[in-house]
Amino acid sequence: MASTVLARHTTTPDAGIAAIWEGWGGLVSSAGIAHFGPESSDDASARNAEEDAAHIADPTLRERLFTAARQGIAGARSVIDALPGRARPEPEPGSGVLTLEAAAGPRFDLHGGTGRHYVLFEAGANTFADAAWPGRAPWVDGVMWAQSRSILWPDDHSWVLATEIDFDSTLVAGTTALIRELVRTPGLEVLPVRTDADLTGDGDVLNRPE
């Protein structure tokens, strides 16, 4: 909805840049990604039965270590390496959603020393005005878990949209006409803020816990 309004306030609604934070799990490598979904009662029963059978068939840790010790130090090391929580090599760039070229390529560093680095893609406001955009975005692995852009600006630089990872608000800087239309758009919660507004948890004076 906001993208539809933004598209009306630029001469380049189909051309721009979308910046995606590189830290989202599974983006540049396979690290830090897990998908969860609903499970039927039949699926849960079958899974529990499989886990029970595996538990019965699996030797205990003590038995495995004892067997490995009899086979020598090399065998014991292989068992220990397989234990849950054992450190494993970090997945390589390119093993995630992005290609190796994009995953290992240059980054857009906007926030200086804060550690925020972004991968840039070509995209305009109209790209996100279409509800089907997650199915075409090169940084999305599954529509259900589609991650929206962190920063977006059109080629004519008429406005900029930015969502900080740790804040609960999205900022839009643009013309007075743009901001007024966003504030009046039904379905959007929009408030004008000062340039020095505090967007941290301490800056929210309306929703603080008592």
Side-chain angles (χ1 to χ4, degrees):
M1 192 179 299
S3 297
T4 302
V5 176
L6 291 170
R8 290 197 287 267
H9 290 266
T10 172
T11 60
T12 57
D14 296 308
I17 298 295
I20 311 299
W21 180 49
E22 69 170 2
W24 296 120
L27 184 63
V28 300
S29 77
S30 59
I33 186 68
H35 290 164
F36 300 91
E39 182 180 52
S40 69
S41 57
D42 291 342
D43 291 339
S45 298
R47 176 175 51 79
N48 291 335
E50 291 175 358
E51 290 176 353
D52 290 342
H55 178 72
I56 294 172
D58 236 12
T60 65
L61 175 60
R62 181 177 179 180
E63 291 169 340
R64 283 186 288 157
L65 289 175
F66 182 74
T67 301
R70 290 190 304 175
Q71 295 173 347
I73 296 176
R77 182 178 296 115
S78 68
V79 173
I80 294 173
D81 286 343
L83 293 177
R86 179 71 174 178
R88 293 175 176 82
E90 190 72 15
E92 294 292 328
S95 60
V97 177
L98 299 183
T99 64
L100 176 60
E101 181 181 10
R107 295 290 186 266
F108 174 52
D109 182 7
L110 178 64
H111 299 299
T114 63
R116 296 284 189 251
H117 306 287
Y118 304 87
V119 184
L120 302 184
F121 299 88
E122 293 183 354
N126 277 339
T127 301
F128 299 99
D130 182 356
W133 71 263
R136 298 188 293 269
W139 63 86
V140 173
D141 180 24
V143 173
M144 183 178 295
W145 300 278
Q147 178 58 53
S148 61
R149 63 276 181 269
S150 305
I151 311 171
L152 178 69
W153 66 88
D155 277 3
D156 67 359
H157 293 186
S158 55
W159 46 259
V160 62
L161 174 149
T163 303
E164 161 56 25
I165 308 305
D166 292 329
F167 293 167
D168 63 357
S169 302
T170 292
L171 299 178
V172 176
T175 64
T176 300
L178 167 60
I179 304 305
R180 285 177 176 171
E181 184 173 354
L182 286 172
V183 170
R184 294 195 302 264
T185 300
L188 293 179
E189 184 183 42
V190 181
L191 294 173
V193 296
R194 305 183 311 274
T195 56
D196 61 347
D198 183 359
L199 299 179
T200 65
D202 293 336
D204 186 351
V205 298
L206 298 178
N207 301 300
R208 287 182 179 175
E210 297 182 359

Coordinates of all heavy atoms in Angstrom, one line a residue, residues 33-38 134 139-148:
I33 N 19.3 -20.3 9.1 CA 18.0 -20.3 8.5 C 17.2 -21.6 9.0 O 17.8 -22.6 9.1 CB 18.1 -20.3 7.0 CG1 16.7 -20.2 6.3 CG2 18.8 -21.5 6.5 CD1 16.0 -18.9 6.5
A34 N 15.9 -21.4 9.3 CA 15.1 -22.5 9.7 C 13.7 -22.1 9.3 O 13.2 -21.0 9.6 CB 15.2 -22.9 11.1
H35 N 12.9 -23.0 8.6 CA 11.6 -22.7 8.3 C 10.6 -23.6 9.1 O 10.8 -24.8 9.3 CB 11.3 -23.1 6.8 CG 12.0 -22.1 5.9 ND1 12.2 -22.3 4.5 CD2 12.5 -20.9 6.1 CE1 12.9 -21.3 4.0 NE2 13.1 -20.4 4.9
F36 N 9.6 -23.0 9.6 CA 8.6 -23.6 10.4 C 7.2 -23.5 9.7 O 6.9 -22.5 9.1 CB 8.5 -23.1 11.8 CG 9.8 -23.1 12.5 CD1 10.7 -22.1 12.5 CD2 10.1 -24.2 13.3 CE1 11.9 -22.2 13.1 CE2 11.3 -24.3 14.0 CZ 12.2 -23.3 13.9
G37 N 6.4 -24.6 9.8 CA 5.1 -24.5 9.3 C 4.1 -25.4 10.1 O 4.5 -26.1 11.0
P38 N 2.8 -25.3 9.7 CA 1.8 -26.1 10.5 C 2.0 -27.6 10.2 O 2.5 -28.0 9.2 CB 0.5 -25.6 9.9 CG 0.8 -25.1 8.5 CD 2.2 -24.5 8.7
P134 N 7.2 -11.1 -3.9 CA 8.1 -12.1 -3.3 C 8.4 -13.3 -4.2 O 9.5 -13.9 -4.1 CB 7.3 -12.6 -2.1 CG 6.3 -11.5 -1.8 CD 6.0 -10.9 -3.1
W139 N 16.2 -12.4 -3.7 CA 16.7 -12.6 -2.3 C 15.7 -13.4 -1.5 O 15.9 -13.6 -0.3 CB 17.0 -11.3 -1.6 CG 15.8 -10.4 -1.4 CD1 14.9 -10.4 -0.4 CD2 15.4 -9.4 -2.3 NE1 14.0 -9.5 -0.6 CE2 14.2 -8.8 -1.7 CE3 15.9 -8.9 -3.5 CZ2 13.5 -7.7 -2.3 CZ3 15.2 -7.8 -4.1 CH2 14.0 -7.3 -3.5
V140 N 14.6 -13.9 -2.1 CA 13.5 -14.6 -1.3 C 13.6 -16.1 -1.6 O 13.7 -16.5 -2.8 CB 12.1 -14.0 -1.7 CG1 11.1 -14.9 -1.1 CG2 12.0 -12.6 -1.3
D141 N 13.6 -16.8 -0.6 CA 13.6 -18.3 -0.7 C 12.3 -18.8 0.0 O 12.2 -19.2 1.1 CB 14.8 -18.9 0.1 CG 14.8 -20.4 0.0 OD1 14.2 -21.0 -1.0 OD2 15.4 -21.1 0.9
G142 N 11.2 -18.7 -0.8 CA 9.9 -19.1 -0.3 C 9.0 -17.9 0.1 O 9.5 -17.1 0.9
V143 N 7.9 -17.8 -0.6 CA 7.0 -16.6 -0.4 C 6.6 -16.4 1.0 O 6.5 -15.3 1.5 CB 5.8 -16.8 -1.4 CG1 4.8 -15.6 -1.1 CG2 6.2 -16.8 -2.8
M144 N 6.4 -17.5 1.8 CA 5.9 -17.4 3.1 C 6.8 -16.6 4.0 O 6.5 -16.0 5.0 CB 5.6 -18.8 3.7 CG 5.0 -18.7 5.1 SD 4.6 -20.4 5.8 CE 3.3 -20.9 4.6
W145 N 8.1 -16.7 3.7 CA 9.2 -16.1 4.6 C 9.8 -15.0 3.9 O 11.0 -14.6 4.1 CB 10.2 -17.2 5.0 CG 9.6 -18.3 5.7 CD1 9.3 -18.3 7.1 CD2 9.2 -19.6 5.2 NE1 8.8 -19.6 7.4 CE2 8.7 -20.3 6.3 CE3 9.3 -20.1 4.0 CZ2 8.3 -21.6 6.1 CZ3 8.8 -21.5 3.8 CH2 8.3 -22.2 4.9
A146 N 9.1 -14.3 3.0 CA 9.7 -13.2 2.2 C 10.2 -12.1 3.1 O 9.4 -11.6 3.9 CB 8.7 -12.7 1.1
Q147 N 11.4 -11.6 2.9 CA 12.0 -10.5 3.7 C 11.9 -9.3 2.8 O 12.4 -9.2 1.7 CB 13.4 -10.8 4.1 CG 14.1 -9.6 4.8 CD 13.3 -9.3 6.1 OE1 13.1 -10.2 6.9 NE2 13.0 -8.1 6.2
S148 N 11.2 -8.2 3.3 CA 11.1 -7.0 2.6 C 12.4 -6.2 2.6 O 13.3 -6.5 3.3 CB 10.0 -6.1 3.2 OG 10.3 -5.8 4.5

